[in-house]
Amino acid sequence: MVDSLPEELLEQAELLLTLPQNQANLRRAVSNAYYSVFHLLIRATVLKWGDPIHQARMARMFEHDRMKKVSGATINSLGNKIDQGEPNATELSKVAQAFINLQQARHDADYSLERLLDPADAVAQVERAKAAFRSWKAAEASEVARDYLFSLLFKEKERT
């Protein structure tokens, strides 16, 4: 597993914004911004598993749509904790919301070719990814973050 991939993808997104502002560079910057957060969450999850061979296999099990749904459910479930001022819940909610927004932005950048991607929008998405990294760093050691990571990969049976 490439441990530095999330940071490298974010750096590449930033670099792409310094190149000529053509559609290819802007769209790849948005895509890389999304994938930097995607791989940040994958890395955080699989590193909790001790065996490196299993880590690489687990990393391939993540599904974009499931991660989006879990992120939305996590935001909803954190409402009370956020209202009570729990900083870890607030920061984790920011990560989950950024994931959802970045996934949609990546989809638009990759598939909505009928409209031009505005350079300011591309910059905003890269900034969103950078903010998600900061929020993750603030929340990553918390119980709510561990629960979020578990849910990204494993479906729990509903309790009655």
Side-chain angles (χ1 to χ4, degrees), residues 91-145:
E91 293 305 320
L92 182 61
S93 182
K94 290 177 185 178
V95 172
Q97 188 64 61
F99 182 84
I100 292 169
N101 293 345
L102 284 164
Q103 189 181 87
Q104 184 60 53
R106 184 211 56 94
H107 188 271
D108 292 345
D110 286 351
Y111 301 111
S112 296
L113 304 178
E114 69 279 357
R115 70 171 184 86
L116 294 177
L117 179 60
D118 186 291
D121 290 341
V123 169
Q125 298 309 326
V126 172
E127 288 301 318
R128 184 183 310 264
K130 289 167 60 177
F133 271 67
R134 289 189 300 273
S135 290
W136 178 251
K137 186 168 180 59
E140 70 181 323
S142 68
E143 182 179 341
V144 291

Side-chain angles (χ1 to χ4, degrees), residues 39-57:
H39 286 286
L40 175 71
L41 296 173
I42 290 172
R43 178 182 67 194
T45 305
V46 302
L47 287 178
K48 298 207 175 291
W49 195 268
D51 188 339
I53 293 172
H54 289 146
Q55 289 174 352
R57 289 173 60 195

Side-chain angles (χ1 to χ4, degrees), residues 62-114:
F62 286 82
E63 299 173 357
H64 298 270
D65 189 52
R66 174 165 177 71
M67 291 175 73
K68 180 181 178 182
K69 287 176 184 172
V70 167
S71 293
T74 298
I75 292 166
N76 291 336
S77 72
L78 291 174
N80 287 338
K81 291 181 180 185
I82 292 170
D83 291 343
Q84 295 169 0
E86 185 178 317
N88 291 324
T90 300
E91 293 305 320
L92 182 61
S93 182
K94 290 177 185 178
V95 172
Q97 188 64 61
F99 182 84
I100 292 169
N101 293 345
L102 284 164
Q103 189 181 87
Q104 184 60 53
R106 184 211 56 94
H107 188 271
D108 292 345
D110 286 351
Y111 301 111
S112 296
L113 304 178
E114 69 279 357

